[in-house]
DNA sequence: CTGAATCCAGCAAGATACTG
DNA sequence: CAGTATCTTGCTGGATTCAG
């Protein structure tokens, strides 16, 4: 690999390592909008497969960006919530939204 | 594909579509630090292959985020510069840097 | 409902060699 | 120096099925 140095020295690189996946970004965007259940996310994420959604959620949980909460009911219910660390990603998304709104596709 | 709708309706999605690649982010980070030549970028990007660098630069050029400037000299010199559209991505990187600095790896 | 398991496809990227 | 060409590898994700 190209990253075997002692650690990720650059904070931007660290951030991208954590949330930079194709789906990860979109999952977080939806969570910032209040969605927190598995099916709810899956429905609103343009047909993401359960496999991928599950994998990404686990990654985010391991990075302490979200917390997984299981309710022992039938049918089972699981809610995902942003931690403080996750919540503080919000400015990144706000900035992206601003930029995306200003510069539409192919607009010079 | 999962994106055959009329366009990318979400500005965040648009932004990610444009700059969300693994290397794209890092290339831009280096350009924000003033690097603008091919070899200079390649040297400082942890061994990115010329093929990948070339492909990503072309994408960025097509998205009007950078401009390619060829100087007819020997040896040839090519400089890449951020457009206004590209320059305005900077706040995203600043926000990421802030977050990455605050929340080091695995820090809860 | 919330996943886990399995298998497979596609593309991004690496390695390497070569050119104007 | 700034790429292109070619070939190969590896990861991400899709599709589907099944389970608690």
């Amino acid at each position: 690999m190209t990253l075997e140095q002692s650690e990720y020295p650059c904070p931007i690189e660290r951030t991208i390592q954590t949330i930079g996946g194709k789906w990860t970004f979109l999952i977080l965007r939806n969570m910032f909008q209040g969605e927190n259940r598995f099916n709810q996310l899956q429905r609103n994420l343009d047909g993401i497969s359960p496999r991928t959604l599950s994998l990404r959620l686990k990654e985010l949980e391991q990075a302490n960006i979200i917390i997984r909460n299981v309710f022992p009911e039938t049918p089972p219910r699981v809610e995902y919530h942003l931690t403080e660390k996750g919540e503080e990603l919000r400015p990144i998304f706000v900035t992206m939204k601003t930029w995306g709104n200003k510069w539409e596709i192919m607009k010079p």
Side-chain angles (χ1 to χ4, degrees), chain A:
Chain A
M1 291 293 90
T2 53
L3 270 176
E4 61 270 275
Q5 291 127 316
S6 57
E7 219 64 77
Y8 309 99
C10 166
I12 293 173
E13 213 159 322
R14 275 206 299 272
T15 305
I16 291 164
Q17 285 288 337
T18 309
I19 63 167
K22 168 193 174 185
W23 283 112
T24 310
F25 256 109
L26 301 179
I27 292 169
L28 286 171
R29 177 201 58 183
N30 285 33
M31 291 194 66
F32 280 124
Q33 291 167 356
E35 299 170 16
N36 51 29
R37 296 188 58 179
F38 195 90
N39 260 19
Q40 188 182 18
L41 286 165
Q42 190 179 3
R43 273 196 314 269
N44 298 333
L45 279 172
D46 246 333
I48 186 176
S49 69
R51 179 180 172 280
T52 302
L53 179 54
S54 176
L55 290 172
R56 297 306 142 241
L57 287 171
K58 267 184 197 158
E59 279 180 10
L60 289 171
E61 195 190 356
Q62 276 204 309
N64 292 308
I65 288 174
I66 63 175
I67 285 191
R68 184 172 182 271
N69 234 301
V70 186
F71 297 83
E73 310 169 355
T74 331
R77 180 161 60 103
V78 179
E79 286 186 4
Y80 296 90
H81 289 283
L82 292 158
T83 61
E84 186 194 350
K85 182 178 177 185
E87 224 0 281
E88 294 193 8
L89 286 167
R90 192 183 290 269
I92 297 176
F93 286 79
V94 173
T95 321
M96 283 193 172
K97 187 177 175 182
T98 304
W99 188 89
N101 271 326
K102 177 164 183 182
W103 304 96
E104 299 171 25
I105 300 186
M106 290 299 100
K107 179 176 168 184

